[in-house]
Amino acid sequence: MAQFVKSLIGVSNKAANLARAIRSEHALFELLVQEKTGDAKNKRFVQDFKTLGDVLIQEMVKHDLSAKFPEMKDHIFGEESNEFTNKLGESITVAVQSTVTDTSKLLSRVLDGNDEAAEILAKVLHQDVEEPQDETLSKLSLEVDINSLAIWIDPIDSTAEYIKGISDSKPDDGIYTVGLQCATVLIGAYDRQSGKAVIGVVNQPFLHLDASTSKWTGRCIWGVACNGVRANSYTASENEAQSKSESFTAVLSPSEKDHIKSTISSISHGRYQYGSGAGYKALCVCDKVANVYVLSRGTTFKWDSCAPHAILNSMGGSMLDLQKARKVSEGEDVSCAEIVYNKPDHAKWEPGQQWSNSGGVIAYWNKTSLSTFMKAFTTQTQK
């Protein structure tokens, strides 16, 4: 199991390298942020290139993991289709090829002959990354049948912040409302039979900006909760620590309903802060700078939540379907409300909503935080 987790961390680091390369290499950056006020064609191309970045990460993860674990090949899922049509009308299936040259040639076709951009992308996709050195991970003793697992990937979560590229955002009590810090790479593994999130890797490519070199460095957080074993990359003191604030803090989307905001405000020392991206907001809970992440709408998806969910499970927390959780009586087991990943929430769904977390989300790192919010939520609902 340790080697499998190391492989997930490795591909997340490579994904982070690609995300940073797109922003730092001039030939790629120009494609990402070219003026959006032009005709519809330009708008489409900006989006297409961003989508290509997502697809490349998704396909790289599939390629690299399948090479090490062939049994996973047909059980790695993501949001993006890998079919592209270039200006000549050619339909091209994007996939990592066996050599840098072959991958570069394929990408050049997708990018309408932009050889420079294609070569940069291909080199990053094929580069080797160092195996993570983590004492906790090296000591992880857990046997799991890889055939029992499947994976959800969100290649670049918080797309808007990634494209806008705000680099000088400042955190408010440890939480960024906007900025590149909100962009994350999410790789989560779940049990195919039960649907439970069991392994999570959240990579934050843009954590620290070196003012002297203008280069970003990031971090990678992992967690395992499987067969009675719980472990993660946080230190022992971080795992044992309580909330980093005396306040009860909820991290929300700016568009969250007033009903949820009033619920938070009704809690003693309750306050809410805004964040961008489902993965980043859940990471704030993992970091204990927020007690809960609440979303009342069904606007997140399985690929958004699987990775941080597993990390929270490793801490004794979880991610629940908010609408199911509100039906659980105080003191009862909330596991029936836990988000699962092996099947859609409903037998019938609207187009594009098959894998949505349709009942909303509440993420928490300890049960006290969950109980505090749910009591206030129930009281507010009854008014």
Side-chain angles (χ1 to χ4, degrees), residues 343-380:
K343 60 184 179 181
D345 290 350
H346 304 288
K348 295 182 180 181
W349 54 82
E350 297 294 324
Q353 297 299 305
Q354 178 180 1
W355 296 106
S356 71
N357 296 316
S358 61
V361 169
I362 176 166
Y364 58 97
W365 62 268
N366 69 6
K367 292 181 180 179
T368 301
S369 294
L370 172 67
S371 177
T372 297
F373 173 79
M374 293 308 301
K375 284 181 181 178
F377 186 48
T378 300
T379 300
Q380 288 292 315

Side-chain angles (χ1 to χ4, degrees), residues 5-25:
V5 178
K6 285 182 179 180
S7 296
L8 295 185
I9 294 170
V11 293
S12 83
N13 285 333
K14 190 184 284 192
N17 289 343
L18 181 60
R20 286 189 288 261
I22 290 174
R23 293 211 57 88
S24 63
E25 295 287 350

Side-chain angles (χ1 to χ4, degrees), residues 34-292:
Q34 62 180 280
E35 196 65 42
K36 297 183 184 180
T37 56
D39 57 24
K41 178 181 177 182
N42 284 341
K43 292 179 183 177
R44 180 188 62 80
F45 190 72
V46 172
Q47 182 60 37
D48 280 356
F49 182 71
K50 186 270 152 188
T51 303
L52 176 60
D54 272 351
V55 171
L56 287 176
I57 291 174
Q58 185 173 288
E59 294 306 309
M60 178 273 293
V61 172
K62 289 181 179 179
H63 174 271
D64 288 15
L65 288 181
S66 297
K68 290 184 177 180
F69 307 97
E71 59 269 47
M72 293 297 300
K73 183 178 180 181
D74 297 323
H75 300 281
I76 302 174
F77 309 111
E79 177 182 10
E80 307 292 349
S81 166
N82 64 342
E83 297 292 331
F84 274 78
T85 302
N86 65 12
K87 289 181 180 178
L88 298 177
E90 295 178 290
S91 181
I92 303 166
T93 300
V94 174
V96 178
Q97 305 299 298
S98 57
T99 67
V100 174
T101 299
D102 288 345
T103 300
S104 180
K105 287 180 179 178
L106 183 145
L107 293 178
S108 182
R109 290 172 59 203
V110 176
L111 294 170
D112 301 310
N114 190 330
D115 293 336
E116 181 184 6
E119 185 176 350
I120 294 170
L121 289 169
K123 286 181 177 178
V124 176
L125 287 168
H126 284 270
Q127 73 179 4
D128 293 326
V129 293
E130 293 183 5
E131 185 172 279
Q133 301 300 314
D134 188 308
E135 186 176 350
T136 302
L137 186 53
S138 298
K139 293 179 179 178
L140 184 63
S141 179
L142 175 65
E143 293 298 323
V144 176
D145 182 6
I146 301 299
N147 286 301
S148 69
L149 302 179
I151 289 173
W152 279 114
I153 309 165
D154 191 342
I156 303 176
D157 188 49
S158 197
T159 301
E161 297 307 315
Y162 178 66
I163 292 178
K164 285 188 290 188
I166 299 171
S167 61
D168 58 355
S169 179
K170 303 298 182 184
D172 179 3
D173 285 341
I175 297 176
Y176 288 89
T177 301
V178 297
L180 279 167
Q181 290 86 349
C182 300
T184 54
V185 177
L186 309 173
I187 304 176
Y190 64 92
D191 183 277
R192 294 183 207 170
Q193 184 171 356
S194 68
K196 291 185 177 295
V198 294
I199 304 170
V201 174
V202 176
N203 201 303
Q204 196 177 12
F206 305 96
L207 183 60
H208 297 296
L209 178 63
D210 187 320
S212 62
T213 63
S214 296
K215 290 186 177 180
W216 285 92
T217 54
R219 64 166 177 160
C220 186
I221 302 296
W222 62 266
V224 173
C226 187
N227 294 342
V229 174
R230 290 179 178 176
N232 57 55
S233 54
Y234 291 106
T235 64
S237 60
E238 287 172 331
N239 273 309
E240 292 169 5
Q242 298 304 305
S243 174
K244 296 181 180 179
S245 170
E246 293 183 3
S247 302
F248 182 93
T249 302
V251 60
L252 310 174
S253 299
S255 60
E256 186 52 75
K257 295 178 180 178
D258 290 340
H259 177 64
I260 297 296
K261 296 176 185 177
S262 62
T263 295
I264 301 301
S265 298
S266 73
I267 296 170
S268 177
H269 301 293
R271 63 195 291 261
Y272 54 85
Q273 292 179 235
Y274 298 132
S276 297
Y280 174 70
K281 290 194 282 288
L283 181 60
C284 288
V285 181
C286 297
D287 286 342
K288 299 183 181 179
V289 293
N291 297 81
V292 293

